[in-house]
Amino acid sequence: MVLFQRPSPEFFFYKNMKHPIHIQSGFLAMMPAFMIACSPQPKEPEYPNVIYIFPDQMRNHAMGFWNESGFQDAINFTADPVHTPNLNRFAKESAVLTSAMSNFPVSSPHRGMLLTGMFSENSGVPLNCNSNRPISNLREDATCISDVFSQAGYNCAYLGKLHVDYPTPNDPANPGQYVENQTPVWDAYTPPTRRHGFDYWYSYGTFDVHKNPHYWDTQGIRHDIHEWSPNHEADKAISYLRNEGNVRDPKKPFFMMISFNPPHSPYRSTDDCMEEDYNLYKDIPIDQLLIRPNADKTMEKAESTPYYFASVTGVDRAFGRIMEELKRLNLDKNTLVVFTSDHGETMCSQGVQDPKNSPYAESMNVPFLIRYPEKITPKIDKELILSTPDIMPTILGLCGLENNIPTSVEGRNYAGRFMDKDYSTPLREGALYIRNVDGTKDENGKVQSYFPVARGIKTHQYTLAITIDKKNKQIKNVLLFDDLNDPYQLNNLPWEEHKELVQSLCKKMVPLLKEADDPWYKERILSELIPY
Ligand code: CA
């Protein structure tokens, strides 16, 4: 007989005598277990805990389980030769997507969409955030996923990289100063007024010295750490799970977001990753590491490959430690855990330097795994092409908070699909691809507007991305790939020779542009080609 859906302090008392860390009430602690179990409990909604873990540049291809039986048949690529034992185990316990897409595969825009459930036009974050771009700043008036959880009675914790704030001179230790000395400023301190319901804070804006990270805590105190950041953040997450220091109310469910920066450039030396992980890859020739046939092994960046994979393995271990603690505390049954990434990493594929911000598979296709033993049966879903704004409503739906999804949300709630209960939420024909660049600037060089330089669509079969000229908004270049028959996107089909195909993909893109309230839709950009 299951009397407690959600682990309560009392439940831990008799279920887990060795670790009675949640006991708060002496009276309850003295009661025999059967009396506790039979006591009438107030009827409260029983919400699950949620842990959302997202490293920064972890492409879907860098997940070792894709090369294992049971997974291999679901994809048409060979996974990178990476060691991810914890994620491999987790995948077998999860719903796993083949086609989760980072619509705007760059940090701040992705995070803005993730937190608000809105596309980049309305999230407030149409560009990567730095002090030259005042127009890119998470909307203070937006109802974020954490606002909803907080209002529903959750404790909410944010750990790691945030990167959705316009940096301002608000260093808590040096009022009137930025938190770093460089132009433009990238890193930022997030004051309590901008934390959107997160009551536990251990975060920073963006900073890439992986073994000397820093964080501002709930009180705004800065902590400089001399440790690889995922290891430190896993320790903090474990401490939060154990409720060391009474940082949360153990009677409430919690929502914890953990944003590991690695894998993230630079990947130059063991200053950027753990030596034990680097040792797994250091003696393997580059051509056996860079196995994707679209990778240019002559690029200087190729030397980064063992460090990239070492970062992936280190993140896998940090993730595994958090999962292990969740199980040890007996919290794992009623905790929904998501593992995904900001966006991917090209790592010499297509010969591009930029690790992200492109429509290539290595950049857009991210891992997406949800484990929730009480509601989700492990499976692989090849049909759902998940867009970033769908994540917020889907998680809220899985928690039974579908009625709390704000009307501002533009994404779709696929919770029923994950739970095999309701497949009625329509699937999109594909995922919208978005790329913006700086528009006009004022006399101080501050960006006043942005320009929607490229849009596209990723369907099950094709990738189309159209870049326009900033001056006349006419076509500058087009990428068109048949991903089904050319999974490594080696052959850019000449679009003028495939006009019918381009037209049909443009037709499918129209509802996506409309749903995203996109400037291409509002301005009818390329209306001779796109049938608005
Ligand atoms: Ca990023």
Side-chain angles (χ1 to χ4, degrees):
M1 183 158 77
V2 179
L3 285 152
F4 296 96
Q5 287 290 311
R6 181 160 69 78
S8 67
E10 298 82 5
F11 182 81
F12 273 109
F13 174 65
Y14 67 90
K15 183 88 182 181
N16 202 1
M17 282 290 285
K18 277 184 190 165
H19 310 286
I21 58 167
H22 286 86
I23 294 171
Q24 296 246 308
S25 157
F27 170 71
L28 280 170
M30 280 158 51
M31 285 171 74
F34 77 91
M35 279 183 68
I36 298 168
C38 298
S39 308
Q41 294 291 307
K43 278 274 171 197
E44 281 176 24
E46 285 160 347
Y47 299 132
N49 306 306
V50 179
I51 303 178
Y52 188 94
I53 301 185
F54 62 124
D56 202 279
Q57 298 188 183
M58 197 137 160
R59 61 188 187 191
N60 191 29
H61 318 86
M63 306 284 283
F65 61 81
W66 288 125
N67 281 345
E68 293 186 353
S69 68
F71 291 95
Q72 213 165 19
D73 293 347
I75 49 159
N76 65 350
F77 59 84
T78 302
D80 294 321
V82 284
H83 295 264
T84 53
N86 293 288
L87 285 160
N88 296 0
R89 196 176 316 123
F90 184 75
K92 294 184 184 81
E93 302 167 350
S94 300
V96 182
L97 302 188
T98 59
S99 305
M101 297 295 155
S102 185
N103 304 77
F104 191 160
V106 65
S107 269
S108 309
H110 170 82
R111 289 154 189 267
M113 293 196 276
L114 169 66
L115 290 166
T116 63
M118 292 187 260
F119 284 88
S120 50
E121 176 71 357
N122 291 327
S123 69
V125 195
L127 296 166
N128 231 1
C129 295
N130 69 38
S131 62
N132 279 349
R133 294 172 176 150
I135 60 155
S136 200
N137 193 17
L138 183 68
R139 275 171 55 181
E140 244 173 276
D141 66 342
T143 306
C144 291
I145 183 169
S146 42
D147 291 310
V148 178
F149 275 125
S150 177
Q151 284 155 20
Y154 276 69
N155 275 137
C156 299
Y158 197 95
L159 284 86
K161 173 174 176 172
L162 182 71
H163 201 200
V164 287
D165 285 332
Y166 168 56
T168 54
N170 68 348
D171 182 348
N174 300 289
Q177 304 292 311
Y178 286 103
V179 297
E180 63 179 7
N181 281 320
Q182 65 166 318
T183 309
V185 177
W186 285 82
D187 198 5
Y189 165 69
T190 302
T193 51
R194 294 189 51 82
R195 291 183 194 161
H196 285 279
F198 287 107
D199 53 78
Y200 176 92
W201 197 257
Y202 197 76
S203 177
Y204 60 99
T206 176
F207 187 71
D208 295 331
V209 185
H210 303 309
K211 283 190 173 169
N212 286 293
H214 57 252
Y215 308 86
W216 285 274
D217 67 15
T218 309
Q219 281 74 40
I221 297 164
R222 177 172 160 143
H223 300 262
D224 283 85
I225 305 296
H226 305 290
E227 193 183 6
W228 194 54
S229 59
N231 289 350
H232 180 64
E233 288 155 26
D235 285 345
K236 296 299 283 189
I238 287 167
S239 175
Y240 187 84
L241 293 178
R242 292 177 181 165
N243 199 17
E244 289 169 351
N246 291 312
V247 290
R248 60 185 176 86
D249 180 348
K251 294 188 199 72
K252 289 182 170 187
F254 62 81
F255 169 58
M256 174 163 52
M257 292 186 96
I258 307 165
S259 173
F260 295 138
N261 194 23
H264 192 285
S265 42
Y267 322 102
R268 274 192 302 252
S269 72
T270 48
D271 288 343
D272 304 312
C273 61
M274 298 305 289
E275 192 164 359
E276 62 188 290
D277 299 322
Y278 175 64
N279 288 342
L280 294 170
Y281 305 101
K282 69 177 166 62
D283 297 325
I284 302 175
I286 290 294
D287 61 356
Q288 288 174 37
L289 289 176
L290 276 183
I291 54 148
R292 296 179 71 76
N294 59 11
D296 179 356
K297 298 169 195 72
T298 66
M299 290 174 75
E300 201 185 325
K301 192 178 175 180
E303 292 170 13
S304 291
T305 313
Y307 301 105
Y308 177 58
F309 290 162
S311 302
V312 168
T313 296
V315 160
D316 174 83
R317 188 187 319 98
F319 171 72
R321 285 180 53 223
I322 296 167
M323 284 307 296
E324 195 182 329
E325 185 66 12
L326 196 69
K327 288 179 185 177
R328 192 185 73 79
L329 294 170
N330 214 7
L331 285 169
D332 71 302
K333 303 281 186 304
N334 196 35
T335 298
L336 185 160
V337 181
V338 178
F339 184 92
T340 180
S341 184
D342 234 18
H343 47 73
E345 160 64 65
T346 52
M347 196 47 71
C348 305
S349 283
Q350 306 291 351
V352 292
Q353 287 292 347
D354 199 333
K356 50 208 167 190
N357 219 356
S358 63
Y360 299 121
E362 294 84 359
S363 160
M364 272 186 95
N365 187 196
V366 288
F368 199 91
L369 301 86
I370 304 187
R371 181 188 187 276
Y372 182 12
E374 285 191 353
K375 299 264 174 75
I376 296 179
T377 311
K379 61 174 173 180
I380 301 170
D381 190 339
K382 292 169 61 174
E383 293 306 311
L384 174 58
I385 302 175
L386 193 78
S387 284
T388 309
D390 302 335
I391 297 171
M392 170 178 172
T394 298
I395 290 176
L396 292 173
L398 286 168
C399 292
L401 290 166
E402 60 276 3
N403 295 328
N404 302 40
I405 297 169
T407 52
S408 54
V409 164
E410 294 167 336
R412 300 186 187 182
N413 170 10
Y414 288 113
R417 184 179 180 90
F418 278 100
M419 294 189 288
D420 291 321
K421 272 166 69 180
D422 174 13
Y423 286 79
S424 63
T425 303
L427 298 181
R428 296 189 192 81
E429 295 258 25
L432 185 65
Y433 166 68
I434 302 171
R435 179 173 184 166
N436 296 330
V437 293
D438 292 345
T440 55
K441 295 178 185 175
D442 71 8
E443 64 279 12
N444 301 314
K446 301 278 185 193
V447 174
Q448 299 299 299
S449 64
Y450 72 89
F451 183 73
V453 71
R455 292 295 183 267
I457 182 170
K458 168 76 187 89
T459 68
H460 279 296
Q461 184 164 4
Y462 296 103
T463 295
L464 170 73
I466 305 170
T467 300
I468 53 172
D469 194 295
K470 229 173 154 177
K471 289 191 200 88
N472 58 18
K473 296 184 182 169
Q474 290 304 300
I475 293 177
K476 198 170 171 185
N477 71 64
V478 176
L479 289 174
L480 177 62
F481 298 109
D482 179 347
D483 299 333
L484 221 51
N485 296 303
D486 176 23
Y488 296 98
Q489 302 174 323
L490 293 163
N491 184 20
N492 181 19
L493 302 168
W495 73 277
E496 280 166 313
E497 292 169 27
H498 296 80
K499 278 230 164 117
E500 258 178 54
L501 173 60
V502 170
Q503 276 163 358
S504 93
L505 289 169
C506 284
K507 195 175 170 192
K508 290 176 179 177
M509 190 163 68
V510 172
L512 307 185
L513 291 167
K514 186 179 180 191
E515 184 180 23
D517 196 25
D518 195 87
W520 277 41
Y521 187 85
K522 289 187 279 195
E523 292 179 39
R524 303 291 197 265
I525 287 173
L526 296 180
S527 58
E528 66 285 2
L529 179 69
I530 302 173
Y532 292 107

